[in-house]
Amino acid sequence: MRNSRDHILTSHVGSLPRPDDLIEANRKREAGEGMDEASFEKLLQSAVVDVVRRQREAGVDVPGDGEFGKSMGHRVNFGAWFSYAFNRLSGLERTSVEVPTVAPRKSHPDELVLLGLLKRRDRVRFAAAYADPDSGISIGRQPLFRPICVGPVKYVGQDAIKADIAHFKAALAACGVAEGFMTSVAPGSIARLGNTHYKTDEEFMFACADAMREEYKAIVDAGLVLQLDDPGIAENWDQIDPEPSVADYKKFTMRRVEALNHAIKGLPKDRIRFHLCWGSWHGPHTTDLPMRDIVDVMLAIDCEAYSFEAGNVRHEHEWTVWQDVKLPDGKLILPGVVSHATNVVEHPELVAQRIVRFADLVGRERVIASTDCGLGGRIHPTIAFAKLEALAQGARLASKQLWAK
């Protein structure tokens, strides 16, 4: 994994706006409307080349594939980070339900029970706003296909990940880009599904870890950077009612860290980064767990780099955490310095200020400027790429300042 040796590198979190023709092609395939595989793969390859090219033109040093290979249905294009895995694992049975879905069950005396998506404390507190279609934060009640574990979990996505890797590597080569990253969901987030097969939810989670390891290994073996997505590390906090003690929550969450570390054991740390966030939906987020209370849990994940929200108005102030927390030797951070949570495009000078704050605390070589979370599905495509341009412009300003010292 590259570091910011002579200038501040830029990257992002993963999801980028999908083109309309790709969204429509996904819809046709899932509806069985006769979209043949050869035509779809040709369309997908072209889309991945284009999105890598656009990232390079915007000034992104370490691009991703936009998560374009992760099918997400036709209604929205921000759920792929999680739902794509449903098609790559055996033992899951799909059920058509309205959220909230099957309630996770208590599987151990000291296990904290997660509630459904609409039971988040933030969504209960601001129920009127979430229910108002004109508020800008309503998530609606559209039907979702959310599976339940009914049998042994095994990885069956070999062809899918092979195709994702091939499309992305071809795009990197076509655009002359040396390094790129690919996202994959962590076992702790998959294990939030209902479970009727395994004796405990913890057993289910470790089965997911063993299965997903195959995908993780394929990505790093291909020479790509693996980004592990597990927003549940921080955002599960909002789904536990009543609010637990921080100590109990950290104990609960460390089991998810243990499962993730089990899944990546023996894989090269210098090819792995982790993304932490509090959920990308547009809402008040007043019940987010403070970064200070979860940073040590994040750092317990056995990888080289850590991506986290630091640009939105609920978490920007938390850069001060690094005044007191020492970043372990050999580690990098990817703070979000532009946000998915606003349509306002950050001024490059503000982006530079945010970057310099972190660089002054952990060292300029150990900072890669990034986004808070995925931009796909959260803001208009033209705004998303304008934000990537502002990110790169801010990184250049910060580099001039930092390397002049």
Side-chain angles (χ1 to χ4, degrees):
M1 193 182 307
R2 298 167 64 193
N3 65 356
S4 297
R5 187 163 301 174
D6 53 12
H7 69 283
I8 295 294
L9 294 176
T10 56
S11 190
H12 60 92
V13 168
S15 177
L16 292 173
R18 291 166 174 77
D20 290 341
D21 56 355
L22 182 58
I23 294 174
E24 176 63 11
N26 268 305
R27 185 198 66 77
K28 286 183 176 180
R29 290 177 83 223
E30 294 179 2
E33 296 181 5
M35 182 72 176
D36 67 272
E37 286 302 307
S39 297
F40 178 78
E41 290 299 321
K42 183 177 180 180
L43 173 64
L44 178 57
Q45 178 66 80
S46 175
V48 175
V49 170
D50 185 62
V51 79
V52 171
R53 175 188 58 79
R54 293 189 69 182
Q55 289 171 76
R56 182 183 180 188
E57 290 175 350
V60 175
D61 294 298
V62 186
D65 67 348
E67 299 183 356
F68 282 11
K70 296 177 170 66
S71 178
M72 65 299 162
H74 65 281
R75 293 180 181 273
V76 291
N77 67 352
F78 55 82
W81 73 272
F82 173 64
S83 60
Y84 85 94
F86 300 166
N87 295 322
R88 299 189 185 184
L89 297 173
S90 67
L92 304 182
E93 182 178 278
R94 288 174 178 257
T95 57
S96 180
V97 296
E98 278 195 338
V99 288
T101 60
V102 176
R105 57 185 171 81
K106 193 167 184 177
S107 61
H108 192 274
D110 63 349
E111 182 81 4
L112 296 172
V113 180
L114 301 184
L115 300 177
L117 293 177
L118 293 183
K119 295 295 185 180
R120 296 178 186 274
R121 283 181 273 116
D122 192 65
R123 294 179 186 178
V124 171
R125 181 176 181 181
F126 295 97
Y130 279 105
D132 183 352
D134 297 322
S135 68
I137 65 171
S138 175
I139 60 172
R141 293 187 64 85
Q142 67 184 39
L144 296 178
F145 289 94
R146 192 155 186 178
I148 302 170
C149 177
V150 297
V153 173
K154 302 293 182 183
Y155 190 75
V156 294
Q158 291 85 355
D159 290 343
I161 189 61
K162 182 178 179 180
D164 283 350
I165 290 169
H167 291 316
F168 189 33
K169 292 192 72 173
L172 292 173
C175 297
V177 177
E179 182 175 81
F181 75 95
M182 183 171 285
T183 64
S184 187
V185 62
S189 279
I190 300 173
R192 293 191 290 185
L193 299 174
N195 163 40
T196 63
H197 173 73
Y198 291 94
K199 292 180 179 179
T200 67
D201 291 340
E202 186 167 333
E203 184 182 348
F204 172 39
M205 181 167 59
F206 274 83
C208 292
D210 287 332
M212 290 302 295
R213 176 181 172 84
E214 189 167 344
E215 179 163 294
Y216 306 157
K217 188 174 187 302
I219 293 171
V220 296
D221 283 353
L224 301 172
V225 172
L226 164 65
Q227 178 178 296
L228 294 161
D229 290 337
D230 196 356
I233 293 294
E235 67 155 333
N236 283 342
W237 167 267
D238 183 44
Q239 298 182 66
I240 300 170
D241 193 13
E243 180 180 306
S245 70
V246 171
D248 283 347
Y249 181 75
K250 290 170 76 169
K251 180 180 178 182
F252 165 78
T253 304
M254 279 304 299
R255 292 198 190 93
R256 282 129 189 88
V257 172
E258 290 163 7
L260 181 52
N261 284 341
H262 171 76
I264 61 176
K265 184 177 181 180
L267 299 182
K269 298 178 186 178
D270 63 353
R271 308 297 302 172
I272 304 173
R273 69 193 207 189
F274 173 80
H275 174 60
L276 177 85
C277 75
W278 287 261
S280 66
W281 73 89
H282 291 178
H285 284 271
T286 58
T287 53
D288 284 1
L289 181 70
M291 177 69 163
R292 189 172 298 276
D293 290 335
I294 202 70
V295 64
D296 57 333
V297 174
M298 179 187 76
L299 293 175
I301 295 166
D302 200 13
C303 61
E304 184 177 57
Y306 305 93
S307 159
F308 52 88
E309 292 185 75
N312 70 58
V313 295
R314 197 68 197 179
H315 293 283
E316 182 179 3
H317 67 287
E318 293 180 316
W319 66 271
T320 58
V321 166
W322 300 97
Q323 293 175 334
D324 305 312
V325 175
K326 183 182 185 301
L327 183 64
D329 294 342
K331 303 289 188 178
L332 310 175
I333 58 172
L334 291 89
V337 291
V338 299
S339 182
H340 64 287
T342 176
N343 287 325
V344 177
V345 177
E346 292 81 355
H347 195 285
E349 290 187 8
L350 172 62
V351 174
Q353 290 172 9
R354 289 171 170 172
I355 292 169
V356 170
R357 289 174 187 166
F358 287 101
D360 284 346
L361 291 172
V362 305
R364 63 191 184 186
E365 297 86 358
R366 305 174 77 186
V367 175
I368 298 174
S370 187
T371 60
D372 269 348
C373 202
L375 301 177
R378 292 306 185 195
I379 52 177
H380 191 274
T382 58
I383 298 175
F385 284 96
K387 281 178 175 282
L388 292 182
E389 291 172 359
L391 171 68
Q393 293 164 3
R396 287 193 289 271
L397 291 175
S399 297
K400 289 180 181 179
Q401 180 177 340
L402 291 166
W403 269 265
K405 293 182 178 181

